[in-house]
Amino acid sequence: MVMQPATSSELLDSSSESETTSEEECDVEFVVESDPSSSDPSAETAEETEDSGSGWTSKNGEIWSPSNNDTLRYIPAARGLVPGPTRYAITRIDDVESSFNLFFTAEIISSIVDMTNLQGGRSVANWSDVDATDIRAYIGLLILAGVYKSKGESTRSLWVDHSGRAIFRATMTHTKFRLMNTTLRFDDKLMRPSRHREDKLAPIRSLWEKWTHRLPMLCNPGEDVCVDEQLVPFRGRCKFRQYIPSKPAKYGLKIWVTADVETSYAWKCQIYTGKAAGSAAEVGQGKRVVLEMTEGLQGITVTCDHFFTSYALVQELLKRKVALVGTIRRNKPELPSKLLQVRQRAALSSLFGLTKNTTAVSYIPKRGRNVLFLSSKHRDPAVTEEEKRKPVIIADYNHCKGAVDNLDKVVGSYSCRRMTHRWPQVLFHNMIDVSAFMHLCFLLLWIPPGSKPSPSGGGFSWRSWGDLWCLQKSCGESIHLVHRLLLP
C-alpha cells in the first residue's frame, strides 16, 4: 500500500515516464538526462554498451577499440643486416681520400672530366683540357671554402693576396677556377633536348644515378629510419622548383631522403620533379614515396610526418615486415570520430584507439588542440611518467623525426654551395656536401683513430649524430684537415 501511487494522476505520470525510457533505448542519438534514482538498471547497462561501441567505427568502415584485448603483440622481423659500414666500404678505407672516393668514384670523376672538356671545347677559345686531378682539386677547393663558411663570400676574395687563403692560390689560379666553374657539365648538351622531353633530370641524370647507387652499398641503417624531404635552396629557373614555406630557404629543389636516425646517414635519395605536364595531381603520393624509399629494408621502424602517414601505408609496410610511427591528419577517413573530439577533453589527456595491428592516439597538449599519431610498432596504450604524460608513441616519434632535418643542419653549417643560376650545379654542390658529411661519419663515428678496421667490422664504435655534431663544433677551423682532398 505504501509503494502504490496515491492518486490516479500520479499513475498516469508513472506510465508516461516508462514510455520515455523506452524511446531513449531505441533512439541512440536522442539523449535525455534523468534522475539516477528512478532509472532502470537493465536500461543503464544497455546504454553503456551502446556508448562503448559508438564513435569507434571510422568513415571507411574500419573498427577500432578503446582497449588492446584483441591487439596482437608486435614482434620485429629479423633484419639480416649489421648497422654501420658494409664490408665493401670497410675494406676500401685506408685514409681520408679513399673514404671520400667511395662516394665520388673514379668513374664519376671521369664522367665529369669528359663532359666538362666537351663543353669547354665548344664554348671557350683555346680551351685546355682538364683531367681528374683538376676536378678533384676543384672539388677540394669547394669543400675548403665551405669549411671556412664562405659560401656567401666572393671567390675573388678567397684568392686575394692580403685577406685570402694561401692554399687557394697554391692550388690553381682564380681564372682557372672560374673557368671550370662556368664549363662544368654532367651531360652532352646537344643530346639533351631529345632526352629532356621524357626526363626533367636529363642534365644530371647519369651522375645522380651513379652517386645514389653508392649510398646503400656503403652503409646499413640502424633499427630506426626517417623519411622526410630535403629542400636544396635555389631561386633560379627550374621547372620543378618547389615552394615550401615551412623550410628556412622556402624555394628550392625537393629531395626525398631516407636517413638513419642515429647518424643521419642518407641511405637513399630521390629528387621530386613534379607532376608530368597535362596530368592530374598524383593521388597517394606519400604512400608511394615511403614504399619506394624503404624498398629492400625489413625489421626496421619508419618515422614520417602527416604528409606520408595513412592506415593503408601502415598495412602495406607490415606486409614488408616494416613498422611505422608518424603523425596523421584529422581528415583521414580511417580515423574514428572518438579520436577527433576535443570538447570536454582535459589538457595532457590521451585517448587510444586500437585494431589488431595498429594503434592510434589522440593527445591534448593544451585545451582546444588535438594531435594525432599512428603506429604499428606500439600495441598498448602506454603513457610516459613525465610531467606532460605524453604517450610512448609521441616520445618515440620525437626521438626519430629529426634525422633528415639534422642532416640539413650539419650540411648547411659547412656547405660548399656557390652562387649559380644552373640547377644541376646546385644539386652537384649538395651531393658534395652530403658526401663530405657521410665520409666524415665513416672517419669519426666508426673508425678508431690511428687504426684500420678489420674486414669483419670489429673495432667500430657506434656514436649518435649528437656526438658528431659536438665533435664538428669542437674541431672548428681545423676540420679542413679531415676534408682536405687537394693533391700536392
Side-chain angles (χ1 to χ4, degrees):
M1 295 293 292
V2 174
M3 300 301 296
Q4 288 180 356
T7 62
S8 59
S9 61
E10 290 182 4
L11 182 60
L12 293 174
D13 292 341
S14 170
S15 61
S16 63
E17 212 173 54
S18 63
E19 290 176 1
T20 306
T21 305
S22 62
E23 287 179 0
E24 289 173 9
E25 291 176 0
C26 296
D27 191 358
V28 178
E29 295 182 357
F30 183 70
V31 179
V32 177
E33 295 183 0
S34 58
D35 188 3
S37 61
S38 63
S39 61
D40 186 9
S42 60
E44 214 173 84
T45 306
E47 287 178 1
E48 288 179 358
T49 305
E50 289 177 354
D51 289 342
S52 62
S54 62
W56 290 106
T57 301
S58 62
K59 293 180 180 179
N60 63 355
E62 190 65 38
I63 301 176
W64 299 77
S65 172
S67 66
N68 62 341
N69 295 333
D70 298 329
T71 305
L72 303 177
R73 189 163 62 94
Y74 174 69
I75 302 176
R79 297 193 56 218
L81 297 174
V82 179
T86 61
R87 181 174 299 182
Y88 174 86
I90 293 171
T91 56
R92 285 163 175 79
I93 298 178
D94 295 313
D95 50 22
V96 174
E97 186 178 357
S98 62
S99 175
F100 187 82
N101 289 344
L102 290 175
F103 301 95
F104 276 82
T105 61
E107 180 186 6
I108 292 177
I109 296 297
S110 176
S111 174
I112 297 174
V113 168
D114 294 340
M115 295 299 103
T116 301
N117 286 329
L118 187 63
Q119 175 65 21
R122 291 170 178 171
S123 59
V124 179
N126 300 323
W127 167 259
S128 179
D129 285 351
V130 298
D131 55 16
T133 302
D134 295 326
I135 295 297
R136 291 191 179 277
Y138 171 79
I139 295 175
L141 289 180
L142 288 176
I143 295 176
L144 199 55
V147 169
Y148 289 122
K149 296 187 176 181
S150 58
K151 61 182 179 183
E153 185 180 353
S154 171
T155 55
R156 186 177 298 277
S157 65
L158 297 173
W159 266 263
V160 73
D161 294 337
H162 302 291
S163 60
R165 279 74 168 181
I167 191 170
F168 287 89
R169 298 190 299 271
T171 304
M172 66 176 63
T173 63
H174 182 237
T175 302
K176 184 173 182 178
F177 180 85
R178 291 189 61 184
L179 190 61
M180 291 182 62
N181 203 44
T182 303
T183 57
L184 189 70
R185 292 294 185 277
F186 315 107
D187 74 322
D188 186 357
K189 187 176 181 179
L190 297 183
M191 300 294 294
R192 189 182 303 168
S194 58
R195 293 182 290 111
H196 198 277
R197 285 192 294 268
E198 301 177 356
D199 185 12
K200 296 179 182 179
L201 283 179
I204 200 173
R205 170 65 71 183
S206 177
L207 180 67
W208 177 260
E209 288 185 348
K210 291 176 182 177
W211 181 73
T212 53
H213 178 70
R214 307 282 302 173
L215 303 182
M217 289 176 53
L218 302 177
C219 185
N220 297 322
E223 296 179 356
D224 296 296
V225 300
C226 175
V227 176
D228 204 350
E229 57 194 16
Q230 178 193 29
L231 189 69
V232 183
F234 181 66
R235 287 180 173 266
R237 294 178 59 186
C238 180
K239 292 183 178 180
F240 50 90
R241 187 188 66 179
Q242 300 292 308
Y243 171 69
I244 306 179
S246 61
K247 296 290 184 179
K250 291 184 173 52
Y251 291 92
L253 310 179
K254 185 163 68 173
I255 303 177
W256 307 119
V257 180
T258 299
D260 175 62
V261 169
E262 291 299 322
T263 61
S264 292
Y265 180 92
W267 186 76
K268 184 175 287 188
C269 299
Q270 183 184 99
I271 301 175
Y272 175 65
T273 57
K275 64 178 183 179
S279 63
E282 182 181 1
V283 178
Q285 184 186 72
K287 176 183 176 181
R288 175 190 62 81
V289 170
V290 173
L291 293 177
E292 290 181 358
M293 298 301 292
T294 57
E295 189 174 359
L297 297 176
Q298 70 174 23
I300 63 164
T301 302
V302 181
T303 302
C304 52
D305 60 23
H306 57 76
F307 176 81
F308 306 94
T309 308
S310 65
Y311 187 79
L313 174 62
V314 169
Q315 302 307 314
E316 188 64 31
L317 286 176
L318 285 175
K319 296 178 183 178
R320 302 186 180 189
K321 301 179 181 180
V322 175
L324 182 138
V325 177
T327 57
I328 186 170
R329 291 172 177 166
R330 61 177 291 111
N331 61 353
K332 294 291 185 179
E334 56 263 31
L335 292 177
S337 59
K338 279 284 188 180
L339 298 182
L340 306 180
Q341 296 174 1
V342 182
R343 289 184 179 181
Q344 299 180 352
R345 291 273 304 275
L348 307 182
S349 64
S350 301
L351 183 63
F352 291 85
L354 302 99
T355 63
K356 288 186 177 181
N357 54 21
T358 308
T359 301
V361 60
S362 166
Y363 177 68
I364 308 295
K366 59 182 180 181
R367 289 187 63 86
R369 187 180 178 188
N370 186 13
V371 291
L372 300 165
F373 290 82
L374 202 66
S375 173
S376 58
K377 175 183 178 181
H378 307 83
R379 303 293 176 89
D380 56 340
V383 178
T384 59
E385 297 180 357
E386 60 180 7
E387 182 181 357
K388 294 186 177 181
R389 303 194 302 274
K390 291 182 179 179
V392 176
I393 295 176
I394 297 181
D396 288 353
Y397 174 81
N398 290 337
H399 172 70
C400 302
K401 67 177 181 179
V404 179
D405 292 335
N406 178 73
L407 176 65
D408 277 344
K409 179 181 179 181
V410 177
V411 165
S413 300
Y414 297 96
S415 178
C416 71
R417 292 194 299 266
R418 310 302 304 173
M419 181 67 70
T420 179
H421 297 290
R422 295 190 291 117
W423 63 263
Q425 196 160 348
V426 172
L427 288 176
F428 177 67
H429 292 162
N430 186 69
M431 292 164 59
I432 295 176
D433 285 338
V434 175
S435 299
F437 168 75
M438 294 189 297
H439 120 91
L440 187 64
C441 289
F442 284 163
L443 295 180
L444 300 183
L445 294 182
W446 297 293
I447 301 179
S451 62
K452 187 178 184 302
S454 62
S456 61
F460 285 102
S461 59
W462 184 272
R463 303 178 188 170
S464 67
W465 58 259
D467 296 332
L468 173 63
W469 178 240
C470 293
L471 182 58
Q472 279 188 312
K473 292 181 67 176
S474 64
C475 288
E477 296 297 330
S478 300
I479 201 171
H480 71 273
L481 296 176
V482 178
H483 282 311
R484 184 173 297 171
L485 305 172
L486 306 181
L487 300 178

